[in-house]
Amino acid sequence: MAETPIRFGILGCADIARKVSRAISLAPNAAIYAIGSRSLEKATKFAASNGFPESAKIYGSYDAVLDDPNVDAVYVPLPTSLHIKWAVLAAQKKKHILLEKPVALNVGEFDQILEACESNGVQLMDSTMWMHNPRTAKMKEYISDTHKFGELRTINVVFTFAADQDFLENDIRVKPDLDALGALGDVGWYCIRAILWAYDFNLPNSVTALPGTIFNKAGVIISCGASLHWEDGKIATFHCSFLANLTMNITASGTKGSLHLNDFVIPFEEKQASFTTATESKFTDLVTGWVPLPSHHTVMTDVPQEACMVTEFSRLVKSVKNDGGVVEKMWPTWSRKTQLVLDAVKASVEKGGEAVSLS
Amino acid sequence: MAETPIRFGILGCADIARKVSRAISLAPNAAIYAIGSRSLEKATKFAASNGFPESAKIYGSYDAVLDDPNVDAVYVPLPTSLHIKWAVLAAQKKKHILLEKPVALNVGEFDQILEACESNGVQLMDSTMWMHNPRTAKMKEYISDTHKFGELRTINVVFTFAADQDFLENDIRVKPDLDALGALGDVGWYCIRAILWAYDFNLPNSVTALPGTIFNKAGVIISCGASLHWEDGKIATFHCSFLANLTMNITASGTKGSLHLNDFVIPFEEKQASFTTATESKFTDLVTGWVPLPSHHTVMTDVPQEACMVTEFSRLVKSVKNDGGVVEKMWPTWSRKTQLVLDAVKASVEKGGEAVSLS
């Protein structure tokens, strides 16, 4: 007999929930069980247009999803300002939580979510999908290879997209009462995560916002950047913005090798993902070319990265729910560190680019 | 009857002079005429091992090259600290000057060189070879296209290479009495030039050195970076170092398009050079891929970029020498702006990362 899949309830009809609903359907160990919205009509429409099973429960509130004893886990794509309320409630109702990023408005709020999850024994994972792409594991393998990559010295990460006028006026990501962290919380989250991922989640000693932060009229960041540094001279920079054409670049240089890719958050194509490496690159005798040439690597991704994420999350949930396992702390620890650095960048922005210590 | 080529004298036997000697041979309007070194033996060896014509004059001093009335132009690959002396002398001897970068230890010195060139009516060009690669013109065309690229908002440039122990101990680029600007003057020059090139040589309002500068024991910079910003919110960052694997990355994002390349200074291969562009990049409906995909562009370079440089320089020299033309001020103006920003970065490094104004 097949194992019962982990049954998901979805809180709200956010656009991103379409993609994650599909991912839940694609994951072999997960199933869509319920959706709740403040509007029953919206929830009904969402379920119909996203191919939910006939049996899916349609609720007119988030509470109803949390009160359904058959819901094992919830996916929370609500605006950041609502995370603390609904993630804490979900944990109290013993629901495992797949939480959209940024995980909270600040690390203080996130710690309350964490505490609720811990005291109720539920698994928490943030929805940073690219972490689960098989390409990510391959890249990690490369930058962890002391012979091929050596020690990471510097990494630059850029994530921008050109928001249209409607987005810049109406999207929740530019509203101080909804996603108050703006571009830093949205695209900046990914940049910070990539930097921490590359540095094995060792926190930088300090963080300095770069000059040139742009705010909207409501005071929300729509473009900014920062420089991060570690005691031993390792550094990182990132730039994030809603004001420049879609760019998702990682350039990482180690003592022996380097890594490049231009689509780290959303791969160019769903079925495959690539990256470029170069190891001990030298010049030809007359400095007219490189020896060796960089290598291109392509990883097949028949299962999309968000489905890999749901599969991994559901595996952890199943372990806790059915097999007496303990929650995996790695994921919430990574979420917390990402939020901590994000908070430090915000603090540095607010102090006009003063360095903010993290040690 | 074929036109007489511009006759070059080369000052010194620097390693880079091997590549430029070959470029002079390849350029249709240039010829190697003389080489001078403090050691006649070294000059003789250099001429023999670099295929100089039998007729080439071999001199045991730089002065002898400058005193030869048949020398039209000199190539000056001497350590930066010697540029002011020899470039000024060359100008006074009415020799046109192809000058290695960084052009001087600071803009004050460069202004003396400029003054000597202007008052003696000689052409000056710095030896930033990639500026002359046909790829560079194609990239410029793209980022100047308001429909395809829009307005440049942010650019990140990285140029690092992993110097070996011998370089880090003995190369002129780590010696305070020779190339005192270290990695900033060597690899940083190219980063700054790329940023200015992308911003049409509009100087930034201010420059801020990033935390994490690394000096060698003699106090020479071997790793550093900076953030540049313009009044209207445009920004740039760069990182340069002798401590990480060869990386030559440009990531530029405009309001409508973006540009990437990973080999901007020395193309991977001599015969062709590529870059990637993306215009009005969006996501697929479910945000599982990009539409459209980025475009790859390859430019054939049958004539290497350094030979293109020598050809252009010689064309300008010929215009002044034979055709009553005036010197082209664009090139020395670009050299000066690059040096000005470089000086500002150095000043900011020395002030512990304080912003240095350029306006």
Side-chain angles (χ1 to χ4, degrees):
Chain A
M1 198 180 104
E3 294 241 16
T4 312
I6 298 301
R7 288 162 302 195
F8 276 77
I10 295 167
L11 299 194
C13 304
D15 210 42
I16 186 73
R18 296 163 57 218
K19 179 177 180 173
V20 174
S21 297
R22 172 172 168 264
I24 294 168
S25 309
L26 290 172
N29 55 354
I32 290 172
Y33 184 82
I35 182 165
S37 165
R38 288 169 301 172
S39 149
L40 190 64
E41 192 195 339
K42 265 180 79 179
T44 307
K45 257 195 193 161
F46 186 94
S49 58
N50 286 283
F52 277 30
E54 286 290 327
S55 60
K57 307 283 183 204
I58 316 287
Y59 292 121
S61 73
Y62 308 143
D63 281 307
V65 176
L66 301 186
D67 285 333
D68 186 323
N70 288 324
V71 169
D72 298 314
V74 287
Y75 168 59
V76 184
L78 300 171
T80 313
S81 59
L82 301 180
H83 283 192
I84 181 160
K85 173 175 176 184
W86 292 104
V88 168
L89 270 175
Q92 288 167 348
K93 301 276 182 176
K94 312 288 185 194
K95 308 303 184 195
H96 303 275
I97 303 169
L98 182 61
L99 185 60
E100 261 309 326
K101 35 57 57 184
V103 288
L105 288 176
N106 54 61
V107 81
E109 283 195 357
F110 185 63
D111 282 344
Q112 293 178 55
I113 294 173
L114 264 185
E115 202 283 313
C117 290
E118 277 171 21
S119 58
N120 289 285
V122 301
Q123 180 70 47
L124 179 68
M125 182 189 276
D126 71 47
S127 183
T128 309
M129 301 170 185
W130 70 268
M131 296 289 291
H132 302 269
N133 194 303
R135 172 176 68 177
T136 305
K138 284 284 174 200
M139 294 194 298
K140 188 72 197 178
E141 197 180 296
Y142 176 70
I143 64 173
S144 303
D145 188 322
T146 51
H147 298 291
K148 290 183 180 161
F149 189 74
E151 191 188 7
L152 180 61
R153 299 296 309 172
T154 176
I155 177 169
N156 175 260
V157 183
V158 180
F159 187 0
T160 65
F161 67 84
D164 60 21
Q165 208 49 41
D166 180 51
F167 180 105
L168 289 174
E169 283 167 15
N170 303 312
D171 195 88
I172 59 167
R173 285 166 282 185
V174 298
K175 299 289 183 189
D177 54 337
L178 296 171
D179 280 352
L181 299 170
L184 177 59
D186 186 32
V187 281
W189 170 276
Y190 293 104
C191 299
I192 293 169
R193 170 59 61 87
I195 291 167
L196 290 174
W197 165 82
Y199 278 119
D200 290 327
F201 289 91
N202 288 309
L203 286 174
N205 288 76
S206 73
V207 166
T208 309
L210 301 181
T213 303
I214 299 175
F215 303 89
N216 69 8
K217 283 179 188 161
V220 174
I221 293 171
I222 55 171
S223 176
C224 73
S227 161
L228 289 68
H229 31 109
W230 285 257
E231 207 157 33
D232 53 359
K234 295 189 179 96
I235 58 162
T237 49
F238 76 87
H239 175 71
C240 62
S241 134
F242 292 151
L243 303 177
N245 188 53
L246 190 54
T247 304
M248 291 181 180
N249 190 75
I250 293 179
T251 300
S253 304
T255 48
K256 289 192 179 169
S258 39
L259 170 86
H260 294 284
L261 70 164
N262 295 334
D263 61 348
F264 82 101
V265 179
I266 306 290
F268 292 132
E269 299 176 83
E270 189 171 16
K271 297 285 183 195
Q272 58 179 53
S274 301
F275 61 102
T276 301
T277 63
T279 294
E280 299 202 34
S281 312
K282 310 283 179 210
F283 294 125
T284 56
D285 175 50
L286 274 181
V287 193
T288 54
W290 294 40
V291 187
L293 293 172
S295 310
H296 300 283
H297 310 267
T298 298
V299 179
M300 300 313 292
T301 47
D302 293 322
V303 179
Q305 59 185 15
E306 58 276 12
C308 296
M309 174 182 75
V310 170
T311 305
E312 174 61 7
F313 173 71
S314 301
R315 187 185 70 77
L316 297 173
V317 170
K318 181 182 164 294
S319 161
V320 175
K321 183 184 167 228
N322 300 344
D323 308 334
V326 293
V327 299
E328 169 59 76
K329 292 200 171 169
M330 180 183 86
W331 293 106
T333 303
W334 289 359
S335 306
R336 188 176 191 279
K337 287 185 172 182
T338 310
Q339 185 79 44
L340 203 63
V341 172
L342 198 155
D343 287 3
V345 173
K346 187 159 178 278
S348 180
V349 165
E350 286 164 358
K351 291 174 180 182
E354 210 177 282
V356 170
S357 173
L358 276 161
S359 50
Chain B
M1 196 179 104
E3 294 242 16
T4 313
I6 298 302
R7 289 160 303 196
F8 276 78
I10 293 166
L11 300 194
C13 304
D15 209 45
I16 185 72
R18 296 163 57 219
K19 179 178 180 172
V20 174
S21 298
R22 170 171 168 267
I24 295 168
S25 311
L26 290 172
N29 55 353
I32 289 170
Y33 183 82
I35 182 165
S37 165
R38 288 168 301 172
S39 150
L40 190 62
E41 192 195 338
K42 266 181 78 179
T44 308
K45 258 195 192 160
F46 186 93
S49 58
N50 287 283
F52 277 31
E54 285 289 327
S55 61
K57 308 285 184 203
I58 316 287
Y59 292 121
S61 73
Y62 307 143
D63 282 306
V65 176
L66 300 185
D67 286 334
D68 187 324
N70 289 323
V71 168
D72 298 314
V74 287
Y75 168 59
V76 184
L78 299 170
T80 313
S81 60
L82 301 178
H83 284 192
I84 182 161
K85 173 175 177 184
W86 292 103
V88 168
L89 270 175
Q92 287 166 349
K93 301 277 183 174
K94 313 284 184 199
K95 308 303 185 197
H96 303 275
I97 303 169
L98 182 61
L99 186 59
E100 262 308 326
K101 34 60 53 186
V103 288
L105 289 176
N106 53 61
V107 82
E109 283 195 356
F110 185 64
D111 281 344
Q112 293 178 56
I113 294 172
L114 264 185
E115 202 284 314
C117 289
E118 277 172 20
S119 60
N120 288 284
V122 300
Q123 179 69 47
L124 179 67
M125 182 189 277
D126 72 47
S127 184
T128 309
M129 301 170 186
W130 70 268
M131 296 290 291
H132 303 269
N133 194 303
R135 172 176 66 177
T136 305
K138 285 282 173 201
M139 293 194 299
K140 189 72 197 179
E141 197 180 295
Y142 176 70
I143 64 173
S144 303
D145 188 322
T146 51
H147 298 290
K148 290 183 181 162
F149 188 74
E151 192 188 5
L152 181 60
R153 297 297 309 172
T154 176
I155 177 170
N156 174 261
V157 184
V158 180
F159 187 0
T160 65
F161 67 84
D164 60 21
Q165 209 48 43
D166 180 53
F167 180 105
L168 289 174
E169 283 167 14
N170 303 311
D171 196 88
I172 60 169
R173 284 167 281 184
V174 298
K175 299 289 183 189
D177 55 338
L178 296 170
D179 279 351
L181 299 172
L184 177 60
D186 186 32
V187 281
W189 170 275
Y190 293 104
C191 299
I192 293 168
R193 170 58 62 87
I195 291 167
L196 290 175
W197 165 83
Y199 278 119
D200 289 328
F201 289 91
N202 287 309
L203 287 173
N205 288 77
S206 73
V207 167
T208 309
L210 301 181
T213 304
I214 300 175
F215 303 90
N216 69 9
K217 283 178 189 161
V220 174
I221 292 170
I222 54 171
S223 176
C224 74
S227 161
L228 290 69
H229 31 110
W230 286 257
E231 207 157 31
D232 53 359
K234 295 188 178 100
I235 59 162
T237 49
F238 77 85
H239 175 71
C240 62
S241 135
F242 292 152
L243 303 177
N245 190 54
L246 189 54
T247 305
M248 291 180 180
N249 190 75
I250 293 179
T251 300
S253 304
T255 48
K256 288 192 180 169
S258 41
L259 171 87
H260 293 284
L261 71 163
N262 294 333
D263 61 347
F264 83 99
V265 179
I266 306 291
F268 292 132
E269 298 175 84
E270 189 171 16
K271 297 285 182 194
Q272 58 179 52
S274 302
F275 61 102
T276 302
T277 63
T279 294
E280 299 201 36
S281 313
K282 310 283 180 210
F283 293 125
T284 56
D285 175 50
L286 275 182
V287 194
T288 55
W290 294 40
V291 187
L293 292 174
S295 309
H296 300 281
H297 310 267
T298 298
V299 180
M300 299 314 292
T301 48
D302 293 321
V303 179
Q305 59 184 16
E306 59 276 14
C308 296
M309 174 182 75
V310 170
T311 304
E312 174 61 8
F313 174 71
S314 300
R315 186 184 72 77
L316 297 172
V317 170
K318 181 182 166 291
S319 161
V320 175
K321 183 184 167 229
N322 300 345
D323 307 335
V326 294
V327 298
E328 169 61 75
K329 292 199 172 170
M330 180 184 84
W331 293 106
T333 302
W334 289 359
S335 305
R336 187 176 190 278
K337 287 186 173 182
T338 310
Q339 186 78 46
L340 204 61
V341 173
L342 199 154
D343 288 4
V345 173
K346 186 159 178 278
S348 180
V349 165
E350 286 163 357
K351 291 174 180 184
E354 210 176 283
V356 170
S357 173
L358 276 161
S359 50

